[in-house]
Amino acid sequence: MSYSRPRYIEQTEFGRSWTRYSAKYKLYLYREGGFDVHNEAFRIPVLFVPGNAGSHKQVRSIASATASAFVELVGKRPELVDQGMVGYDFFTLGLNEELTALHGYSILEQADFVNDAIRYILAQYPRTRARHRLSKDTEFASPASVVVVGHSMGGVVARTAFTLGNHMPGSAQALFTLSTPHSSPTASLEWHVEQVYTRVNQFWRHGFRNGTLDDVSLVSIAGGNLDSMINSDYTYVGSLAPARNALSVLSSGINDVWLGQDHQSVLWCGQMARKFAAMMIEIMDARSPSQLVPLEQRMAIMRRQLLPSIDRSIETQTHDRPMRADNYRYVQLAEDSVKLHPLDLRKLAERSQARPRKARALHLLPSGIAAKDKVLQILYDPQLFADASSDSERTDVQLALLGCRGNDTGTVADADLD
């Protein structure tokens, strides 16, 4: 359980001149009683998007925990303010408690409103930052990006916003989703919902290939089997974004949480709110226009905060070089397409087993996909092939590892590489 002293300040200036949905939806600024004494935003902007039939008030637990953690931290170490740790302003959307899970046009309208809200929020900061001097010695950049947090269908709405014409490139570089069904809708009762999902997911897959989303981080947190509304398999984002940009995790696997969450309690669980706050505190940097630390550093922080140590074993050493996720390649294959030649697999295993335990470079990963979809996931170090005696041997072993197999004509079929 978490506790808060919330105040919600409606942004009355965010009217018809900013958005065509001003009569339908509302934008509020959250303020925590006892901590936030100013009624205008001047720190780092965060936008909360509620889900299906959700309320703007659902932001209170994570906003309160983040405010409390920040005040406690700077009380002990005030010098961190000069390093860009200036706290967050949580904005939250009132979306009329619409049933976005059942209506595709509602997803599009809310996504359009999200982009308008981001544009309005960012426009306030040059004026408010000038009025509230956060540091005597450090100049902070005017925010060019908003952190977006979406619950349930709010995460889908947030991703849809990236695909619309009124989206400002670079205006949202960090997206956190809680119990969001990313891969497909949970209830296919309207054809337009399916159409929106198809178009949005296609945009995100191509966006990381063409550079559109290079600086965007996407984190999906699922409640596990206690969430009776959203199958946690639907929250997996590994098929939408590469590992350098994305992370999927179950709340029961998060350090210091270790609990499954039902669909609503993922927002107000005390352990979850405190962990979310700790992660948010570490990634802030008001000296940068994005208001965040760079992507690589940001992802490393989020993995350390959200993944148990067993899943972070790839940060150990391999050979005589630091072992980082960037040094590795990842492949995911349907089980019925995998055919490993025994001789090649033995060679591969011998090379990996010959190394110290912490330096082994071949890992079989448990699948995060539904059990009915039999999938083999492999994380491997390309250096494993460096000592092959010939190019042909190296190619043979790589093809065996990647699950490629010869077809009836004797040629090699392509593996589906992520």
Side-chain angles (χ1 to χ4, degrees):
M1 181 67 71
S2 58
Y3 300 90
S4 60
R5 292 169 287 178
R7 289 190 299 128
Y8 304 96
I9 304 170
E10 183 179 346
Q11 303 299 289
T12 55
E13 294 182 3
F14 183 47
R16 186 171 288 276
S17 62
W18 286 96
T19 177
R20 55 181 169 165
Y21 297 107
S22 60
K24 186 177 183 182
Y25 304 137
K26 303 297 181 184
L27 175 67
Y28 300 87
L29 173 63
Y30 176 91
R31 281 298 185 244
E32 178 69 10
F35 295 148
D36 297 317
V37 297
H38 299 287
N39 289 344
E40 62 181 9
F42 59 93
R43 301 185 184 277
I44 295 174
V46 181
L47 180 63
F48 175 76
V49 186
N52 182 67
S55 166
H56 65 279
K57 296 181 180 180
Q58 290 176 307
V59 73
R60 60 187 179 270
S61 293
I62 58 175
S64 175
T66 305
S68 300
F70 171 72
V71 169
E72 181 180 358
L73 179 64
V74 297
K76 297 176 180 177
R77 301 181 59 191
E79 72 278 5
L80 292 179
V81 173
D82 290 331
Q83 299 175 24
M85 293 189 174
V86 300
Y88 288 102
D89 298 312
F90 277 82
F91 291 85
T92 179
L93 299 181
L95 299 176
N96 211 22
E97 298 187 6
E98 288 182 340
L99 302 178
T100 46
L102 307 177
H103 192 223
Y105 284 107
S106 293
I107 297 176
L108 295 176
E109 289 176 348
Q110 291 185 10
D112 192 285
F113 186 71
V114 165
N115 285 330
D116 291 339
I118 289 174
R119 183 165 54 91
Y120 169 81
I121 291 168
L122 294 178
Q124 309 310 304
Y125 277 82
R127 172 174 51 86
T128 58
R129 280 271 176 97
R131 194 154 43 224
H132 298 272
R133 186 74 177 174
L134 296 171
S135 171
K136 295 180 179 179
D137 304 318
T138 305
E139 282 290 333
F140 297 117
S142 182
S145 175
V146 172
V147 178
V148 181
V149 181
H151 173 242
S152 187
M153 287 300 293
V156 176
V157 169
R159 287 201 302 115
T160 303
F162 283 75
T163 71
L164 302 184
N166 65 338
H167 174 70
M168 296 189 302
S171 62
Q173 295 190 20
L175 174 56
F176 297 91
T177 65
L178 305 169
S179 298
T180 292
H182 287 288
S183 60
S184 61
T186 55
S188 300
L189 301 180
E190 198 233 4
W191 73 271
H192 196 51
V193 174
E194 294 273 5
Q195 187 180 51
V196 169
Y197 261 86
T198 299
R199 291 177 178 175
V200 170
N201 287 348
Q202 186 177 48
F203 174 89
W204 275 73
R205 291 188 182 101
H206 289 294
F208 290 104
R209 297 173 186 170
N210 60 28
T212 305
L213 302 174
D214 272 355
D215 296 323
V216 177
S217 58
L218 174 61
V219 174
S220 175
I221 300 174
N225 57 10
L226 289 184
D227 189 340
S228 59
M229 295 184 65
I230 302 295
N231 187 322
S232 292
D233 292 337
Y234 290 178
T235 68
Y236 180 67
V237 294
S239 62
L240 300 175
R244 70 179 295 271
N245 296 82
L247 177 64
S248 300
V249 62
L250 296 177
S251 62
S252 57
I254 299 176
N255 283 321
D256 302 323
V257 178
W258 307 124
L259 293 170
Q261 315 278 334
D262 66 48
H263 197 63
Q264 300 299 332
S265 67
V266 72
L267 284 171
W268 53 255
C269 169
Q271 294 99 311
M272 188 70 245
R274 288 190 292 273
K275 175 58 70 171
F276 186 86
M279 176 179 61
M280 292 287 284
I281 294 295
E282 280 201 65
I283 66 173
M284 72 170 79
D285 187 355
R287 298 169 297 181
S288 166
S290 71
Q291 306 294 285
L292 301 168
V293 297
L295 175 66
E296 184 176 354
Q297 183 181 353
R298 187 160 78 239
M299 291 302 300
I301 290 170
M302 294 187 293
R303 289 191 180 97
R304 174 168 50 78
Q305 287 282 0
L306 298 178
L307 294 179
S309 56
I310 189 171
D311 288 337
R312 299 199 311 270
S313 61
I314 60 171
E315 296 176 7
T316 57
Q317 301 289 317
T318 179
H319 292 284
D320 56 353
R321 63 189 179 120
M323 182 175 175
R324 298 169 21 198
D326 289 347
N327 298 137
Y328 272 56
R329 293 191 64 189
Y330 169 78
V331 62
Q332 180 174 288
L333 301 159
E335 187 173 320
D336 59 7
S337 72
V338 176
K339 184 177 182 180
L340 298 176
H341 191 283
L343 179 60
D344 291 333
L345 184 60
R346 185 166 65 249
K347 291 177 183 177
L348 192 65
E350 287 172 354
R351 289 183 185 141
S352 185
Q353 294 296 326
R355 301 178 180 187
R357 179 176 294 274
K358 291 186 177 181
R360 290 176 185 169
L362 173 65
H363 306 269
L364 297 181
L365 306 180
S367 173
I369 301 178
K372 63 182 178 63
D373 299 325
K374 295 183 178 179
V375 170
L376 176 65
Q377 299 185 102
I378 302 172
L379 187 71
Y380 74 98
D381 183 357
Q383 288 291 321
L384 192 61
F385 309 117
D387 56 351
S389 59
S390 67
D391 289 340
S392 60
E393 181 185 350
R394 185 183 305 114
T395 300
D396 289 344
V397 178
Q398 283 179 314
L399 292 177
L401 172 61
L402 298 182
C404 300
R405 59 177 179 177
N407 57 26
D408 293 338
T409 63
T411 59
V412 175
D414 291 334
D416 181 16
L417 289 180
D418 232 356

